[in-house]
Amino acid sequence: MYYRLNGVTQRLTGAPATAYNPQGLRPSVPPVSPPAIFASPTKLVSETGSQVEYLGANRVNEMQKFFQRADGVPVHLKRGLIDKLLYRTTMGLTVGGAIYCLVALYIAAQPGNK
Amino acid sequence: MPHQSHPYHMVDPSPWPLAGAVAALLMTSGLAIWFHFHSVPLMALGTALLVLTVCQWWRDVVREGTFQGHHTPPVQKGLRYGMILFITSEVLFFLGFFWAFYHSSLAPTPELGGHWPPTGITALDPFEVPLLNTAVLLASGVTVTWAHHSIMEAKRKQAIQSLALTILLGAYFTFLQAMEYNEAPFTIADGVYGATFFVATGFHGLHVLIGSTFLAVCLLRQVRHHFTSNHHFGFEAAAWYWHFVDVVWLFLYISIYWWGS
């Protein structure tokens, strides 16, 4: 049984002359949907041909193993020597620069210099 | 990471916030020293320190997220909020310069001749290079969206090509704008017109350079397989920033180049 609410009178009316016919649903044909395709089958690497190793292989797994080593080293030093050198250069400039800045501002604040 | 029963990221102690703060101090003090004493070393040192700091800080963020797995969904949500708030603060930054422009141009003073553009200023034709620049940035907005969809659909080659094209379009914009700056018949010193024009478009250009750099880093990361089809927030943040840069240009074009000519 199919009722419809008339928005003007706010009353339910009985089944109209023709049944509700949603788009695509024909009265005599039972509803059958095509088999659902959830994902295209996974392509094997060997099937992809020239797409293999476009601009370099995937090294993320190796990097993940490397950076997850439980050696207690903080992330900014994890790569060893290169990280240490960069860190020391940066901290050198930080400390030296801060002192240079304070000296420059002290000189600039002197009344004689303008 | 093991040994924690919560999904949040407890970061390792890091020296980069301190280095960044000192870099900001050196850059701003250096600016004052340059203005008053014509001496650049302090400002140059600050800029060098800023570059070192941001490179190492964001390198560490990539290590923590992509290699150590710290960017769980709640952490990523926080990163999204952070990027949105940052872009909002940048919008407000530009709002100030638009305020300055409209303040002077809506009611031009008698000293300017009572009209806008002021007496003596030949404004650039908005339908020449500025219009081309608009088309270039709009096209780059399309290509960055293409890149996003390619990443989501795991189409590696297309993602790399569309991202590279986006960066090339950004570089083309920068080149065209540099040519315009070189050939403009007025300078930053030419009254309030020159000041508002070059400060607003100049800061926009700086943001184009920053956005292009961000996209270039994403290109490098995409080549190195850092992005997966459902986790690529670094790219999304770069794309948001790029769209913001594009929208600011549209406002600049409409207000300063077109209405203001």
Side-chain angles (χ1 to χ4, degrees):
Chain A
M1 195 54 211
Y2 167 73
Y3 294 94
R4 216 179 9 206
L5 174 69
N6 184 325
V8 174
T9 61
Q10 296 290 305
R11 286 210 185 109
L12 288 175
T13 59
T18 55
Y20 176 52
N21 204 3
Q23 190 180 32
L25 194 68
R26 285 167 293 154
S28 53
V29 178
V32 169
S33 51
I37 301 169
F38 292 104
S40 49
T42 310
K43 265 194 196 157
L44 290 176
V45 169
S46 52
E47 291 172 13
T48 51
S50 61
Q51 292 274 350
V52 172
E53 283 212 29
Y54 181 72
L55 288 182
N58 190 338
R59 291 230 174 82
V60 172
N61 284 331
E62 292 166 33
M63 297 297 258
Q64 286 172 337
K65 276 197 211 70
F66 179 82
F67 280 99
Q68 288 179 37
R69 283 209 307 248
D71 51 13
V73 176
V75 70
H76 67 279
L77 295 171
K78 203 89 169 169
R79 268 224 137 139
L81 184 64
I82 178 79
D83 284 0
K84 201 158 51 165
L85 287 175
L86 269 172
Y87 165 72
R88 288 187 178 176
T89 308
T90 309
M91 285 319 285
L93 288 179
T94 303
V95 173
I99 296 169
Y100 177 26
C101 180
L102 293 172
V103 167
L105 288 173
Y106 176 79
I107 293 170
Q110 300 303 310
N113 307 341
K114 262 300 171 227
Chain B
M1 281 305 274
H3 316 307
Q4 69 181 50
S5 58
H6 60 81
Y8 301 105
H9 183 190
M10 306 303 287
V11 291
D12 290 338
S14 170
W16 311 132
L18 176 65
V22 171
L25 169 69
L26 263 51
M27 283 176 84
T28 48
S29 308
L31 202 66
I33 297 291
W34 178 44
F35 287 166
H36 290 279
F37 302 103
H38 306 285
S39 160
V40 267
L42 186 60
M43 192 171 61
L45 183 60
T47 312
L49 188 55
L50 181 73
V51 171
L52 278 170
T53 303
V54 299
C55 285
Q56 292 176 93
W57 195 334
W58 288 327
R59 173 207 68 189
D60 288 351
V61 173
V62 171
R63 287 178 178 180
E64 290 159 357
T66 306
F67 304 144
Q68 295 183 334
H70 283 293
H71 291 182
T72 60
V75 171
Q76 207 195 116
K77 195 168 164 198
L79 292 170
R80 283 174 190 274
Y81 274 130
M83 192 64 195
I84 286 170
L85 288 170
F86 173 64
I87 291 176
T88 307
S89 77
E90 294 253 72
V91 168
L92 294 171
F93 177 72
F94 275 96
L95 206 73
F97 296 122
F98 278 99
W99 185 341
F101 168 74
Y102 278 112
H103 175 91
S104 296
S105 59
L106 281 168
T109 62
E111 290 87 349
L112 301 174
H115 51 80
W116 193 274
T119 309
I121 296 283
T122 30
L124 299 171
D125 185 342
F127 300 110
E128 293 196 352
V129 175
L131 186 60
L132 174 59
N133 274 341
T134 305
V136 167
L137 281 186
L138 285 172
S140 72
V142 170
T143 53
V144 80
T145 305
W146 175 18
H148 190 196
H149 283 268
S150 304
I151 290 174
M152 289 192 289
E153 290 161 28
K155 291 185 173 143
R156 177 175 167 76
K157 202 160 148 187
Q158 274 200 42
I160 289 169
Q161 288 172 350
S162 49
L163 190 42
L165 187 51
T166 309
I167 296 165
L168 282 172
L169 286 166
Y172 186 36
F173 175 93
T174 303
F175 168 75
L176 287 168
Q177 195 69 330
M179 293 287 104
E180 285 284 275
Y181 269 32
N182 196 32
E183 294 173 3
F186 52 86
T187 71
I188 196 172
D190 284 322
V192 72
Y193 185 90
T196 50
F197 181 90
F198 283 106
V199 169
T201 60
F203 270 117
H204 174 260
L206 176 64
H207 285 72
V208 170
L209 290 171
I210 293 168
S212 303
T213 308
F214 197 170
L215 288 167
V217 169
C218 286
L219 178 60
L220 187 66
R221 293 186 67 203
Q222 165 64 14
V223 166
R224 291 186 176 176
H225 302 266
H226 287 197
F227 298 136
T228 67
S229 56
N230 53 14
H231 189 166
H232 44 264
F233 175 65
F235 172 82
E236 287 181 70
W240 289 350
Y241 196 79
W242 192 251
H243 287 306
F244 152 72
V245 161
D246 188 6
V247 170
V248 169
W249 171 260
L250 294 174
F251 277 94
L252 280 174
Y253 180 72
I254 303 287
S255 306
I256 296 183
Y257 284 91
W258 195 351
W259 177 82
S261 69

